[in-house]
Amino acid sequence: MNHEKSARYSVGIDLGTTHCVVSYLDQIKAAEDTSTAVEVSVLPIPQLTQPGVVEEKKQLPSFIYRAHEAELNPGELTLPWHTEPKALTGAIARQLGSKTPIRLVSSAKSWLCHGGIDRHEAFLPMGSPAEVAKISPLNATVEYLSHLRQAWDHKFPDNLLSEQDVTITIPASFDPAARELTAEAASQLNLKHLTLLEEPQAAVYNWIKACGDNWREQVSLGDIILVIDIGGGTCDLSLIAVSEDEGNLTLNRVAVGDHILLGGDNMDLALAYRVKAKLAAEGKELQPWQIQAIVQACRDAKEQLLLENDINEVAIAIPSRGSKLLGGTLRTSLTRNEVNETLVEGFFPQINIDEHPVAARRSALSQKGLPYAQDPAISRHLAAFLSKQADAANDVFSRVTINSSTTQNEAAPFIKPSAILFNGGVLKSPVLAERLLSIINQWLEGADTNKARLLSDSDLDLGVAIGASYFGHVKQGNGVRIRGGLASTYYVGIESAMPAIPGMEPPIEALCIAPFGMEEGAEAKASEAEFGLVVGEPVHFRFFGSNTRRHDEAGVQLDHWQEGELDELPELQVTLSTEGRQAGEVVPVNLVAKVTEIGTLKLEAIAANSLDKDEEAERWQIELDVRD
């Protein structure tokens, strides 16, 4: 570490869609006592659970409530660190928002990675009336982090969070813009020593920490670990290959899935609509706002019916806005069979490996909203991922000799995991976890491959945060580190030089600027070729990513590609400074991509004619971000 004052704690923050968790590891204590396993603690987070009541909980619900100025008394909002919070965050926000959903900000993390909107624009809560104060996805993220920072500083006033080694977890599928925005939120709170870590990797670090040295007894050379992380808002998939280096087992993250907005929130909404249909059969119609209001009740019912064996039915109360509307509060219930039927068959249907997500017919016009997965079947998304990544581990395993019993069976075109690691609150349910494991093993048996074994010793609620703080310990040279780097290959669009043709735009070629697996702190020059950069005028940059083209090196230029091979990222519109040149001038430049120490991607254009001079080269920073 290069800190002027060494950080005492390695802090892990799971900035989740539905919950946030903070864990920490005392690095000084760990260094002094190497005879025992390192201890990781979870920070109790003080938060309002109802007006005037503060409780400490291990999780901070990721909700913000935009209260009316006359709704609560100032004395009811006191927290240990101040008396007038700017925002109601956590348990009280979720509780009040279940009654008045038009004032509730939720899914800020999903909005943060939505490339179709300006993440700096204040529009949350979505669809709320003008009187409700709005907040941007970025500022919502800042609010969550601010609450966590103040909770930390209150407990550790002599070791402020801004001075600690902080690791924030993000979905493996976050694009460069979403990663950059997460780092921006952290920088607004002066978190100086920041690292971003993929959530599935954090889950693996938590598993390693829980197992201690015994992790090597659960996996062996040639294993493929499939990490399935199903949280409140996303389904995050990753593959870890077990290789060796100088006789020691090593872990290599070889593939990540697409960003799939599909998780516990979808399940809660499905149950709410099940309740709606149940009441409709009784001649009782619900309004849209009531559907939103009972989602929380359905979430609570789901957790009870899936996790507590002695409960077979849970009552559901549905609020109304007056007796004239529905004759008072409606009451109904959800049964264990109804929950199992809705969630197991709806989200985890038994399918074949070649059955992939089905795209529904889309309306020409739609409201502004999140790009949720159109197909709710998680099993189909998983089948598509394993099929798409059939050769993901070939490069890693080509360098080692592997026992033939663990090699991939070429008869079926999908990668065959030999071990499964579950993460995320959804998979706490034995019913859902067992169903998913049985689906995977059905595919493996059909391909004449051994069943996958479930890796144990993982905390599905707190594991990502624990793994993140343990990762800070690993970074100091303690324990095994997962080899990862960039999870995709990245390209910038280059306009082809060709004569003007009426009615036709010049074709775009894709120049590889950052190859798959490029490590933090590394840089790559996109060939010796020079490109023309327009300065002083509005221009747009097009970026692409691929999680299947692993062999393209920086400088490779593609004039065509197969459908689905490259995914276009959000377009960047910007006016680059003239640096003393004329507006509209085309400057010959070389392109250099850098992966920062925290894992974000930067593209730099360097004036070609200044490289041979003694003075500082002219440079233009082109951040893969979407800004107004």
Side-chain angles (χ1 to χ4, degrees), residues 355-627:
E355 295 182 49
H356 297 169
V358 178
R361 291 184 62 189
R362 305 294 295 274
S363 173
L365 298 174
S366 63
Q367 293 181 332
K368 181 178 180 180
L370 288 169
Y372 289 110
Q374 290 181 267
D375 190 330
I378 289 173
S379 45
R380 279 196 280 268
H381 289 282
L382 178 57
F385 170 67
L386 296 177
S387 299
K388 186 177 182 180
Q389 302 296 343
D391 61 351
N394 288 3
D395 288 347
V396 170
F397 290 157
S398 67
R399 297 191 293 268
V400 297
T401 302
I402 300 172
N403 187 295
S404 59
S405 64
T406 62
T407 55
Q408 295 288 301
N409 185 332
E410 299 298 332
F414 70 98
I415 195 165
K416 299 161 192 69
S418 49
I420 311 291
L421 181 65
F422 286 155
N423 191 64
V426 168
L427 294 173
K428 285 169 58 181
S429 162
V431 172
L432 300 183
E434 289 166 10
R435 178 60 172 264
L436 189 52
L437 185 61
S438 72
I439 291 171
I440 296 170
N441 282 328
Q442 172 190 300
W443 297 337
L444 295 173
E445 287 183 310
D448 195 25
T449 305
N450 293 334
K451 289 184 178 181
R453 58 197 179 279
L454 187 63
L455 300 180
S456 56
D457 298 321
S458 184
D459 187 312
L460 301 186
D461 277 334
L462 310 176
V464 164
I466 293 172
S469 54
Y470 181 69
F471 168 73
H473 181 63
V474 170
K475 281 199 307 179
Q476 308 306 316
N478 307 295
V480 63
R481 183 166 181 177
I482 302 170
R483 296 173 178 175
L486 290 180
S488 296
T489 305
Y490 291 102
Y491 309 79
V492 65
I494 304 293
E495 187 175 292
S496 300
M498 63 173 288
I501 299 175
M504 178 179 175
E505 292 185 359
I508 289 289
E509 298 184 0
L511 173 71
C512 179
I513 54 174
F516 178 89
M518 187 172 168
E519 297 283 353
E520 292 83 355
E523 71 174 45
K525 185 175 181 181
S527 81
E528 298 297 329
E530 294 180 5
F531 301 93
L533 182 72
V534 180
V535 299
E537 288 185 355
V539 293
H540 66 273
F541 289 88
R542 293 176 65 181
F543 293 99
F544 304 86
S546 173
N547 56 16
T548 56
R549 294 187 65 100
R550 296 181 182 80
H551 300 105
D552 288 346
E553 298 292 339
V556 169
Q557 199 160 332
L558 307 178
D559 56 11
H560 69 280
W561 49 88
Q562 299 296 322
E563 183 178 355
E565 250 189 331
L566 268 60
D567 296 315
E568 186 158 7
L569 304 177
E571 183 180 272
L572 172 64
Q573 299 187 24
V574 67
T575 300
L576 298 173
S577 64
T578 56
E579 300 288 343
R581 298 175 181 269
Q582 296 294 319
E585 184 175 345
V586 180
V587 183
V589 296
N590 296 111
L591 299 176
V592 175
K594 299 180 178 180
V595 181
T596 68
E597 293 295 336
I598 63 172
T600 59
L601 182 61
K602 307 280 189 185
L603 180 63
E604 199 170 56
I606 306 173
N609 60 2
S610 64
L611 291 175
D612 300 327
K613 300 179 180 179
D614 294 335
E615 69 264 21
E616 183 71 19
E618 296 176 273
R619 297 171 183 266
W620 289 267
Q621 295 283 344
I622 305 163
E623 297 185 5
L624 277 71
D625 198 351
V626 179
R627 300 178 186 274

Side-chain angles (χ1 to χ4, degrees), residues 78-95:
T78 301
L79 285 166
W81 46 85
H82 56 50
T83 57
E84 296 183 13
K86 294 180 180 178
L88 291 177
T89 305
I92 189 172
R94 184 171 64 182
Q95 189 255 340

Side-chain angles (χ1 to χ4, degrees), residues 295-307:
V295 166
Q296 177 60 42
C298 288
R299 177 184 294 119
D300 294 339
K302 174 194 71 177
E303 292 174 356
Q304 292 181 64
L305 292 167
L306 290 178
L307 299 177

